Amino acid sequence: MKNHSVPMRRCVGCMTSYPKKELVRFVLADGRLQVCESGKENGRGVYLCRSLDCFVKAVKRKKISNDLMDEFEKVLKSVEVNV
Ligand SMILES: [Zn+2]
């Protein structure tokens, strides 16, 4: 096992583990899932790759609600700008 010091989380879309910071986190807040960009909010969360494919897979697995698509796309776009 390499990269043991890097916290790994599993994407709920493709079910593959990646370093936590490479994933987008969604947190259950106020009774609904919200994109959590700081990664600091507490609570139940799910992780997704920065990929719409994984988002769609996660919706099919009922891990995430389809109405988060807009928010997720915003995150993807903001990442492109920052990089
Ligand atoms: Zn994924």
Side-chain angles (χ1 to χ4, degrees):
M1 283 283 276
K2 287 175 181 172
N3 292 332
H4 219 119
S5 59
V6 179
M8 303 288 279
R9 291 294 182 275
R10 184 177 288 182
C11 167
V12 293
C14 59
M15 304 304 281
T16 306
S17 291
Y18 292 98
K20 193 177 166 184
K21 61 183 174 184
E22 289 181 19
L23 300 172
V24 179
R25 185 173 183 229
F26 292 84
V27 168
L28 196 61
D30 300 327
R32 63 178 286 257
L33 276 174
Q34 297 177 353
V35 175
C36 168
E37 286 183 79
S38 70
K40 284 174 186 164
E41 279 88 344
N42 291 317
R44 245 180 64 189
V46 297
Y47 292 85
L48 264 186
C49 299
R50 299 181 185 278
S51 153
L52 269 185
D53 282 352
C54 287
F55 183 92
V56 171
K57 283 179 195 162
V59 171
K60 282 182 184 160
R61 290 172 186 276
K62 300 192 194 311
K63 295 289 186 186
I64 214 159
S65 156
N66 197 36
D67 59 12
L68 286 166
M69 176 77 85
D70 284 350
E71 255 179 278
F72 187 65
E73 281 188 318
K74 254 183 249 169
V75 172
L76 294 187
K77 279 175 193 156
S78 71
V79 168
E80 280 168 22
V81 170
N82 290 342
V83 173

